[in-house]
Amino acid sequence: MGRGQLRRQWVSPPGNVYASVVLPQPGPGWSELLPLLAGWCFSRALEGLGFPVRLKWPNDFLLYDRKVAGMLLEERGGRLVLGVGLNLASVPDPGSLRQGCAVPAGTLCADGPLPGPLSLWTALVNAVRKGYTDSSDVVDPSHFPSLVTERLAWMGRRVLVVDGEESAYPARIMGLSDRGGLLLERDGRTEVLFSGSVAPL
């Protein structure tokens, strides 16, 4: 059993990868964008290994509209720790998932045989660290959300939004704000979601 977004528990069947990687503190302007930066680097790393994943805001990864991975970025003792769960061999029982807004789970092996867990994780860590360092050193933080938009799941589509403050409501994903929030079109208005979850309608 692990811990995910909003301290929710998540099930971790055997045969998958559950690991953490320590990332360096980035330069000025990145503090609010760190989860987005980590997610972008992780999705690019997976794509580089042959898995065309999409980023389900704020911290999940989809392969063919099924959740195959999730992450959680935390600061501990002045260090940034990125915890990651990857479905390689098995998925949680559907009954253990949150009802109403959970995305069906899948595995990375949907695209064929996988390398061993250690080999896969080593390749991912190397790619994530390089992408993270290169991006935080070179990319202007104010321009970064526009780069991530092209990797967003369900961009331009209507989704069900649950933000924890009111009942679920439909909206359309329009992109990302300059602070990394999810831009939504709702009843003709543009809103920004900073905490919550989305699922396709």
Side-chain angles (χ1 to χ4, degrees):
M1 190 74 71
R3 179 164 54 85
Q5 184 190 16
L6 302 178
R7 306 189 74 83
R8 296 188 183 105
Q9 289 185 333
W10 50 267
V11 179
S12 48
N16 297 330
V17 169
Y18 316 102
S20 298
V21 56
V22 176
L23 299 174
Q25 292 281 359
W30 284 101
S31 59
E32 291 184 307
L33 298 172
L34 284 177
L36 203 61
L37 175 59
W40 185 69
C41 292
F42 193 75
S43 67
R44 291 185 68 199
L46 281 169
E47 186 174 73
L49 294 175
F51 307 108
V53 298
R54 310 299 290 177
L55 177 61
K56 175 185 175 288
W57 184 95
N59 54 8
D60 291 333
F61 304 91
L62 307 181
L63 183 64
Y64 310 127
D65 275 348
R66 290 184 173 272
K67 179 180 173 179
V68 295
M71 68 168 201
L72 183 65
L73 184 66
E74 297 181 306
E75 186 168 355
R76 296 181 181 177
R79 299 189 303 172
L80 293 175
V81 180
L82 178 65
V84 175
L86 286 164
N87 293 342
L88 301 186
S90 58
V91 300
D93 181 86
S96 68
L97 302 176
R98 284 179 295 146
Q99 299 301 309
C101 59
V103 176
T107 65
L108 289 177
C109 66
D111 269 354
L114 298 173
L118 182 57
S119 298
L120 178 63
W121 178 245
T122 300
L124 278 175
V125 168
N126 291 337
V128 167
R129 280 180 170 160
K130 184 178 187 307
Y132 180 91
T133 301
D134 290 349
S135 299
S136 58
D137 286 346
V138 175
V139 178
D140 185 335
S142 64
H143 298 156
F144 180 70
S146 63
L147 296 179
V148 185
T149 297
E150 65 186 32
R151 292 187 173 272
L152 277 182
W154 312 315
M155 179 64 189
R157 288 175 52 184
R158 284 171 57 81
V159 294
L160 184 69
V161 181
V162 180
D163 65 8
E165 297 178 356
E166 57 180 285
S167 58
Y169 57 87
R172 188 180 306 277
I173 295 178
M174 304 303 293
L176 294 164
S177 75
D178 57 359
R179 295 172 54 199
L182 192 65
L183 288 177
L184 301 171
E185 181 185 66
R186 180 187 180 192
D187 298 330
R189 305 186 310 272
T190 299
E191 301 180 355
V192 183
L193 184 70
F194 286 105
S195 177
S197 59
V198 296
L201 285 174

